[in-house]
Amino acid sequence: MQRYDECGLIQDGKVITFRAHDGFDGKIIIPDDVTEIGNRAYEVAFCDIKEVSLSPSVKRIGVRSFACCEKLREIIIPAGVETIDKEAFSDCHSLKKVYYLENGFEGGDNYVSLVQQWCQKENGELPRYLFQDTDEYKVNRMLHCYTIMGQRDTIENEDSDGPITCKLYIDNGNPFVGFGYSKSEARLAAAEKAYQYLDEEDMLFTMADEIDEPTLENAISQLQELAQKGYFSLPVYNFEEKHDRQGNPYWRCECSVKEYKYSYWSEKGTKKEAKRKVAYDMLMSILNADGDDNDWDDEEDDE
């Protein structure tokens, strides 16, 4: 049984393909009778899709379902989704917000979000989650060991327990596994273990990875770039015009960032010179506070 809905061509509960209709506003809403987003269903839509809201009935998001949707900014993934296949969101460079409904976070680190961000930066796509019954998982684990030769072993969160198993894939290697009494609990346990692994293996991105080598010339834009990527609040610059004993004007600039205790100031002949110097001092202070190991030397201020 086929029909064409505003979300695309639907056959037997699966979205097969999509073609933008007249007046398409970039939003895709999946209806309640859809259980699967087919392989490459929206890849052919190319760049017009901006937001996607999946219905609670969706169980699977297929291979490259939304690949190359470069304008896709956000998607809502309901708790009922059991499988996100490989490269489902590959090359979605504008994807900034992924909402996992009923994640069950009560304070603490949002490991699901942290692992998601890492995968988007490292691989250009979202991590894959597969759910199954824990008894079934343990039987298969004994029989097959879930090991990909030459890759790390499957890593389980031994502090978690429950009848639902979540296998989390962050790359082509073996999965990280969590257990829980709900899908959200199992997913969180798997994500926590994956994040711990990335941390222990020194694979997490740092602020220094986000920018080129810090320089006095580019410090203002580099500091702003890190703020826009969410590492800290936008820097605040305060200027004061002053005069030396001969009456010549010069500028004092002070730079502060909400999350950091110290502020920096400089006095220069122009506002631009003063702002650039304090931005550089603040940038280097923040990078050092972040614990980055680097060989960067502070530039001499020869202005």
Side-chain angles (χ1 to χ4, degrees):
M1 180 73 179
Q2 287 187 349
R3 79 175 194 275
Y4 203 89
D5 188 272
E6 289 190 353
C7 74
L9 179 64
I10 300 172
Q11 179 177 336
D12 299 327
K14 179 195 292 189
V15 178
I16 303 298
T17 189
F18 172 81
R19 183 174 65 252
H21 51 80
D22 291 341
F24 178 60
D25 61 0
K27 297 181 181 179
I28 295 290
I29 300 177
I30 304 299
D32 291 337
D33 61 340
V34 170
T35 59
E36 182 177 346
I37 309 300
N39 296 344
R40 303 179 183 271
Y42 291 98
E43 182 177 16
V44 296
F46 294 103
C47 301
D48 293 328
I49 299 174
K50 298 177 182 177
E51 299 176 17
V52 175
S53 179
L54 302 177
S55 70
S57 60
V58 174
K59 303 295 183 185
R60 174 179 175 267
I61 302 175
V63 175
R64 295 188 66 83
S65 292
F66 295 94
C68 300
C69 292
E70 295 185 349
K71 291 184 179 179
L72 179 61
R73 299 189 302 256
E74 62 180 66
I75 183 169
I76 299 173
I77 299 179
V81 172
E82 298 175 353
T83 303
I84 300 178
D85 279 330
K86 189 174 182 180
E87 298 183 357
F89 298 94
S90 178
D91 297 316
C92 294
H93 302 298
S94 299
L95 187 59
K96 303 297 183 183
K97 297 179 180 179
V98 179
Y99 300 100
Y100 293 94
L101 298 186
E102 301 178 12
N103 274 337
F105 294 117
E106 298 292 342
D109 285 327
N110 185 334
Y111 292 108
V112 173
S113 177
L114 293 172
V115 171
Q116 170 197 310
Q117 293 170 17
W118 185 89
C119 286
Q120 286 180 286
K121 290 178 181 178
E122 178 70 12
N123 308 319
E125 60 180 328
L126 295 177
R128 291 185 292 140
Y129 292 97
L130 300 177
F131 295 92
Q132 67 181 122
D133 178 81
T134 295
D135 290 338
E136 178 187 353
Y137 163 78
K138 289 182 177 179
V139 170
N140 289 332
R141 182 85 164 99
M142 282 193 305
L143 294 175
H144 306 292
C145 296
Y146 282 98
T147 299
I148 299 174
M149 298 301 295
Q151 299 286 350
R152 63 174 179 272
D153 291 337
T154 295
I155 300 177
E156 297 180 355
N157 188 333
E158 297 177 352
D159 295 328
S160 62
D161 186 32
I164 299 174
T165 296
C166 175
K167 292 186 289 186
L168 162 60
Y169 295 85
I170 63 172
D171 50 28
N172 291 325
N174 291 298
F176 298 87
V177 179
F179 309 97
Y181 290 89
S182 67
K183 289 179 181 177
S184 59
E185 186 178 322
R187 178 165 50 209
L188 176 56
E192 180 180 8
K193 200 64 181 178
Y195 185 84
Q196 290 173 354
Y197 172 84
L198 293 172
D199 190 19
E200 291 167 0
E201 296 297 319
D202 198 27
M203 296 172 65
L204 294 174
F205 290 97
T206 66
M207 284 187 275
D209 296 320
E210 301 282 4
I211 59 174
D212 295 328
E213 181 175 342
T215 64
L216 189 66
E217 183 70 28
N218 299 320
I220 296 173
S221 60
Q222 289 174 326
L223 192 63
Q224 172 126 352
E225 180 180 351
L226 291 176
Q228 290 175 332
K229 289 182 176 179
Y231 284 101
F232 45 77
S233 303
L234 287 171
V236 176
Y237 299 95
N238 292 310
F239 295 92
E240 180 184 358
E241 186 178 16
K242 307 181 95 174
H243 296 82
D244 61 20
R245 293 181 179 178
Q246 287 73 41
N248 299 314
Y250 64 93
W251 288 91
R252 175 190 170 98
C253 179
E254 183 175 1
C255 176
S256 61
V257 173
K258 180 181 178 181
E259 291 80 3
Y260 292 87
K261 178 179 179 180
Y262 299 104
S263 61
Y264 290 85
W265 63 270
S266 178
E267 294 179 344
K268 295 291 180 181
T270 67
K271 291 177 72 172
K272 182 177 181 180
E273 290 173 342
K275 181 178 182 180
R276 188 163 56 190
K277 180 61 168 69
V278 294
Y280 180 75
D281 290 343
M282 178 60 76
L283 177 63
M284 294 304 296
S285 176
I286 288 174
L287 292 176
N288 289 332
D290 191 44
D292 294 314
D293 295 324
N294 57 66
D295 298 323
W296 298 331
D297 294 322
D298 286 348
E299 290 189 0
E300 293 294 332
D301 181 21
D302 53 5
E303 298 186 42

